[in-house]
Structures are given as C-alpha cells and as structure tokens.
C-alpha cells in the first residue's frame, strides 16, 4: 500500500516570508530624495531564499495564525497588472519633474490589489493614498501647480475649440484624447500612462448588465447619455474631417472609434475637477488618486477660483488691469454726474427755501455702505504656508512697512533686507494662488487610507458618474415620477386634489428638483453660460 505524503512532509508548507525595505535615492538640485521600496523573499528549509516579484509569481502569501505563531500559506493570486509598479514609478518621477510636491513623510501613494467578497468584486484595485503617520487638521499635504492640469482652455487645441465654439466636457475629452495620441511626446505622458483604459461606469455596461438598473434613476440618465454622447461623437467626427492631420489615430487612440471615445469620456467623467473660472473642469494629476468616501473625507482641495477669465492669471495681468481702469473711469464719470445732479438739486432746494440736510445725511450713509461693499469684495481667501499657518496679506515691496522704517531713520541695509523678505513672501503667495492644494480637513490615523470627497451625492449619482456606491450614505435620495404621485393621490384622495397638487408642482417646479441627480452636457454648458453672463454683468 502506497502511503500518500501528508502536508507536513511538503517543504513548501514550512516556508516563511521575509521582508526587507530598501531605498532608491535621487540627487536633486538642493536635496536628495529617497523613496522606500519593499522586497519580499520566500525562505524554505534547505533551499536558498527566492525573491518574489509582484505580478510575476504564480502566488502571493498571507499571514495565518497557528498556535500563536505566524505562518505564510500559499493562495491563488488576484489579477494584478504586472506593469503597475513600473507605471507608478513613472508617475512619481513625472510629479517630481513637474513640481507636483507632496509630503512624503506624511503620505505615500500605494497600489491597491483587486478585492473580492465571495464572487463579487468589491474593489477593482488602482492607486490610493495612505497616511504614514497621524495627519493633523489643516495640514497641507499636496501642492499641484495649475500649469500641470489638462484643460480645454490651456490645451494645444484651444484655438480650434475657440474657432469651432466647443467647450465643456466634450472639449476636455478631445484635449485628453489628443495628448494620449501623442504618446511619449506628450508633456503629460507620465500622468496619462498611469490611468486605466476606462472607468467602470454604467455607460460602458452591456445590455445584460444594464437590466439590473431598470426602474432606477441611473437607467433614465443612461437613456439621455446615449443620445448626448452620440451627438458629441458626431461633432467629433466633423472635427476630424476638418483637422485630419492634427487628430491622427496613433498610440492606442482611434478618433473614428466610438468605443475609444467612450473610454476617454468615462475617464473625464470620473476624474475631472472644477479648477477655476478660466480652466473649468480639468484633469488634475495627483488629486484624482485620492479615493472618495461619503461624509468621511480627510482632505479638501483648495484653489483660487476667481482668476482672469481670459488668461487664467490670479492677479495683476494686463486684462485685469484694463478692466480695473475701465471700472475706475466709469466710477469717476458716475461720481461727476452724481455731483452735478446733487448741486442741481441743492440749488433747487435753496430756491424753494429748504435746507438739504436730510438728503446729505442719506448720501453719506450710502457712501459708507459702498465703502463697506468694496472692502468685502476685495477680501482675499486665507492662505496657508507649508506648516499650515495662516499667511496674512503683506504690503508690496517698498510699501507701508518700508516707508515707515525710512521715516524712522532706518539705514539702507534694513530697507534692502525688508525688500528681499517682501519678495520671498510675494513669491510664496504666488505659489499658493497658482496652485491647487490638498489640505487635511479631518484628522487621519497612521496606516489608514486618506480620502477625498467628490461631493454630497446619493448612490445613484455616484454609480452613474464614478462607478461605485457607498454602503453608508446619508445623502440617499429616491426620485418619484410625478405622474405616479398624481395617480396615487387620485386614488387615495380625489381627482380634484391630484389636480391641485399637479398645478402646485408645475408652478414651483424648481423647488422639486432632485439635487442629487447627474447633469447632462447641455445643462453643464447652460450653467457655464449663466456664470459667464454673471461675470459680464459684474
């Protein structure tokens, strides 16, 4: 009788895993930057240690507690992109080359493995941010120069968008496709190569998967999306016919493929951020690595939104100076008119034998109100430095402090030193004004994932736009078809009551809008037009 060997006789069952941490360092202009890298080794009795390479070995290992001792057991490996580590290294190098800075002592970028619960995929993997230590409130973590965002306004195709009257999500999608088509020649290659082919959102689901959404808001939104995206693709094809040499199909981008267009549109839908009034919705490198957690975010993204709508400069550009000069001229003309009018009314009042005391007091009160309004309108957002401390507005070089020191008889050295300090402070302010900053909103414990928020939305919106849902969501909302409500009222109450409610809803329709629904491209463009009209009227 042949005896079957037991697990105890299998040498691989006694193998243990050893981990060491090594550092890869690079010398910069002013400092040496080092990043940790973990290496795993399998050690079995009587055999040399073998290094395990993620994505290439046929198994991965996990800790199993047996009689108080840790043992590593063999387990089938989840599907992991073998090039994920390399892509991450390219991305981190791109951050460094483009001055995208983050506090490496506080946070690290990690690659999540796909996770399953039974037969259900609960996480498809991807990048995330993990805290290396406890993070404190208002602690700055990431500084992203606005120069590195991808937007329609700053794209190489901006002139074409202007000539063809293209804007919004479609223009941003075309801008991203164009950069992807350039491959390694694109300034954004290091960022774009780290993105997945597409986002797993319902617009890409097949007919069988969409049946699970029947009767939901998402199903209704998808019907609208199918129409609007087809219209956008037709617009793209007309653009392709007019600019065939610019929109070249290469490096995985096929301009004539609706599937390729949808893949990029899904990335734009799930990753774009609103940056400012000039750039609008844009792809923001690093900010899109932070995953979402409803009502449980740890960081907020901060940006100076009110910039010049023509060039995107925060302050001091020629456009803003021209507008301010025009406003000043209009103000002086109106002041002259008011003064003439006031003198004319005063003369009339004197002729009638009345003193203009009461009117004069009212004018003074109005002027005081105007002064208060100007002070409020000119207030700047609070800035913070690298340590999280507020930066107060400092006078310009040679300003009040410098003049005061001169008046007090300070020597020339003091003036020069004050000027240099003023320049440094101005440069520091410019740095924050021309960047997007990720700042801690809620403290986070060490070794925990650091979350951002994509807004206060219900699960239907999150699934439709980003491809996921939260199990605990305080912003859940269910939309009811008005006709169904009226029919129920007619049965429960009366036809008269149902008619009265229908009339009320029709009269005050804006009060019954579902604020957690997704917006169509047309609605986004209407909102942008409304904002532009408001800016013109200001």
């Amino acid at each position: 009788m042949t005896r079957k060997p037991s697990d105890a006789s299998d040498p691989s069952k006694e193998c243990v895993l050893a981990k060491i941490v090594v550092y890869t360092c690079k010398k910069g202009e002013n400092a040496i930057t080092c990043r940790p890298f973990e290496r795993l080794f399998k050690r079995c009795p009587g055999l040399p240690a073998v290094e395990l390479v993620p994505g290439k070995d046929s198994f991965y290992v996990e800790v199993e507690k047996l009689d108080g001792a840790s043992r590593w057991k063999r387990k089938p490996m989840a599907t992991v992109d073998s090039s994920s580590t390399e892509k991450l290294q390219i991305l981190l190098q791109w951050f460094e080359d483009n001055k995208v800075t983050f506090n490496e002592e506080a946070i690290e970028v990690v690659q999540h493995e796909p996770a399953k619960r039974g037969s259900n995929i609960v996480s498809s993997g991807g990048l995330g941010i993990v805290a290396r230590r406890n993070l404190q409130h208002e602690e700055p973590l990431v500084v992203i120069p606005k120069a590195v965002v991808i937007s329609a306004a700053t794209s190489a195709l901006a002139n074409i968008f202007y000539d063809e009257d293209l804007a919004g999500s479609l223009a941003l999608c075309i801008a991203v496709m164009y950069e992807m088509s350039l491959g390694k020649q694109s300034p954004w290659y290091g960022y774009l190569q780290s993105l997945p082919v597409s986002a797993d959102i319902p617009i890409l689901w097949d007919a069988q998967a969409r049946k699970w959404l029947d009767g939901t808001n998402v199903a209704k939104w998808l019907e609208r999306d199918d129409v609007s995206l087809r219209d956008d693709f037709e617009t793209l094809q007309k653009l392709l016919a007019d600019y065939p040499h610019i929109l070249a199909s290469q490096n995985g981008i096929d301009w004539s493929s609706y599937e390729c267009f949808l893949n990029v549109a899904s990335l734009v839908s799930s990753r774009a951020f609103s940056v400012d009034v000039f750039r609008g919705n844009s792809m923001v490198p690093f900010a899109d690595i932070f995953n979402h957690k409803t009502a449980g975010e740890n960081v907020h993204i901060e940006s100076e939104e009110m910039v010049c709508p023509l060039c995107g400069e925060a302050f001091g550009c020629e456009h803003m100076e021209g507008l301010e000069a025009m406003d000043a001229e209009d103000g002086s003309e109106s002041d002259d008119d008011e003064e003439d009018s006031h003198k004319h009314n005063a003369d009339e009042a004197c002729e009638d034998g009345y003193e203009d005391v009461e009117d004069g007091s009212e004018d003074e009160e109005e002027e005081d109100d105007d002064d208060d309004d100007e002070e409020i309108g000119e207030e700047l957002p609070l800035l913070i430095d690298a340590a999280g401390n507020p930066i107060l507005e400092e006078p310009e070089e040679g300003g009040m402090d410098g003049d005061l020191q001169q008046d007090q008889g300070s020597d020339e050295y003091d003036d020069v030193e004050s000027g240099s300090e003023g320049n440094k402070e101005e440069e520091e302010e410019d740095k924050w004004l021309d960047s997007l900053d990720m700042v801690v909103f809620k403290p986070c414990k060490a070794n925990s994932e650091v979350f951002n928020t994509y807004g206060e939305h219900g699960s239907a919106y999150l699934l439709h736009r980003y491809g996921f849902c939260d199990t605990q969501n305080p912003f859940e909302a269910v939309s009811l078809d008005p006709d169904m409500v009226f029919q129920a009222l007619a049965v429960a109450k009366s036809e008269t009551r149902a008619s009265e409610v229908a009339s009320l809803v029709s009269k005050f329709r804006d009060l019954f809008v579902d604020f957690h629904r997704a917006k169509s491209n047309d609605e986004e463009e209407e909102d942008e037009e409304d904002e532009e009209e408001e800016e013109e009227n200001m």
Side-chain angles (χ1 to χ4, degrees), residues 220-322:
K220 292 187 294 184
W221 298 338
L222 289 178
E223 291 179 2
R224 182 198 63 203
D225 290 344
D226 289 334
V227 175
S228 62
L229 285 170
R230 280 291 179 183
D231 291 342
D232 286 346
F233 184 66
E234 290 180 5
T235 301
L236 175 59
Q237 296 311 296
K238 294 177 182 177
L239 200 68
L240 178 60
D242 294 336
Y243 303 93
H245 300 296
I246 296 177
L247 307 181
S249 294
Q250 56 187 351
N251 295 311
I253 294 297
D254 183 355
W255 293 95
S256 61
S257 168
Y258 184 59
E259 179 182 1
C260 180
F261 169 72
L262 281 184
N263 287 339
V264 178
S266 71
L267 294 177
V268 170
S269 171
S270 61
R271 290 175 175 267
F273 289 84
S274 177
V275 174
D276 54 41
V277 295
F278 173 67
R279 296 167 179 82
N281 282 350
S282 309
M283 301 291 281
V284 183
F286 207 115
D288 57 5
I289 299 179
F290 288 87
N291 292 313
H292 167 89
K293 188 174 184 180
T294 301
E297 72 273 20
N298 305 108
V299 298
H300 280 173
I301 185 169
E302 299 180 357
S303 170
E304 173 55 58
E305 296 184 2
M306 297 310 298
V307 299
C308 175
L310 299 179
C311 68
E313 289 291 332
F315 298 103
C317 73
E318 57 184 5
H319 309 110
M320 299 295 286
E321 292 174 355

Side-chain angles (χ1 to χ4, degrees), residues 444-479:
C444 180
K445 293 183 178 180
N447 302 318
S448 300
E449 182 165 5
V450 185
F451 291 101
N452 189 14
T453 178
Y454 303 160
E456 299 176 350
H457 303 296
S459 293
Y461 181 94
L462 293 175
L463 177 63
H464 173 251
R465 181 158 185 177
Y466 304 108
F468 65 84
C469 295
D470 274 340
T471 55
Q472 307 260 339
N473 191 336
F475 306 110
E476 292 289 19
V478 177
S479 298

Side-chain angles (χ1 to χ4, degrees), residues 76-108:
M77 183 178 177
T79 302
V80 179
D81 184 1
S82 60
S83 61
S84 59
T85 301
E86 180 182 356
K87 289 182 177 180
L88 177 56
Q89 293 301 320
I90 294 175
L91 176 63
L92 293 175
Q93 185 60 52
W94 186 85
F95 287 155
E96 183 177 337
D97 295 341
N98 289 275
K99 312 303 181 185
V100 179
T101 59
F102 65 101
N103 189 340
E104 298 185 41
E105 179 265 335
I107 59 174
E108 65 176 324

Side-chain angles (χ1 to χ4, degrees), residues 333-343 345 367 370:
E333 291 178 1
S334 62
D335 290 341
D336 293 340
D337 293 340
E338 289 178 1
E339 184 177 354
D340 294 339
S341 176
H342 181 70
K343 288 181 179 179
N345 292 336
E367 289 177 1
D370 292 340

Side-chain angles (χ1 to χ4, degrees), residues 320-432:
M320 299 295 286
E321 292 174 355
L323 291 174
E324 290 174 357
M326 293 175 60
D327 290 340
E329 292 178 2
D330 294 340
S332 62
E333 291 178 1
S334 62
D335 290 341
D336 293 340
D337 293 340
E338 289 178 1
E339 184 177 354
D340 294 339
S341 176
H342 181 70
K343 288 181 179 179
H344 177 69
N345 292 336
D347 293 340
E348 290 181 350
C350 291
E351 290 176 1
D352 294 337
Y354 294 100
E355 294 184 359
D356 195 24
V357 175
E358 183 177 355
D359 291 341
S361 63
E362 290 180 356
D363 290 341
E364 290 177 0
E365 292 178 358
E366 290 178 0
E367 289 177 1
D368 291 340
D369 292 340
D370 292 340
D371 292 340
D372 292 340
D373 292 340
E374 289 178 1
E375 289 177 1
I376 294 174
E378 293 175 354
E379 184 176 356
L380 299 179
L382 180 67
L383 305 177
I384 55 177
D385 59 18
N389 301 314
I391 299 177
L392 301 178
E393 275 296 309
E394 297 291 339
E396 296 182 358
E397 181 180 355
M400 293 179 61
D401 286 349
D403 294 341
L404 181 61
Q405 289 178 2
Q406 285 183 340
D407 292 341
Q408 292 175 346
S410 60
D411 56 22
E412 183 178 358
Y413 176 78
D414 292 335
D415 293 335
V416 173
E417 184 178 4
S418 175
S420 63
E421 290 178 356
N423 289 337
K424 291 181 180 179
E425 290 170 352
E426 289 178 7
E427 291 176 359
E428 188 69 17
E429 289 181 5
D430 291 342
K431 171 185 174 182
W432 290 98

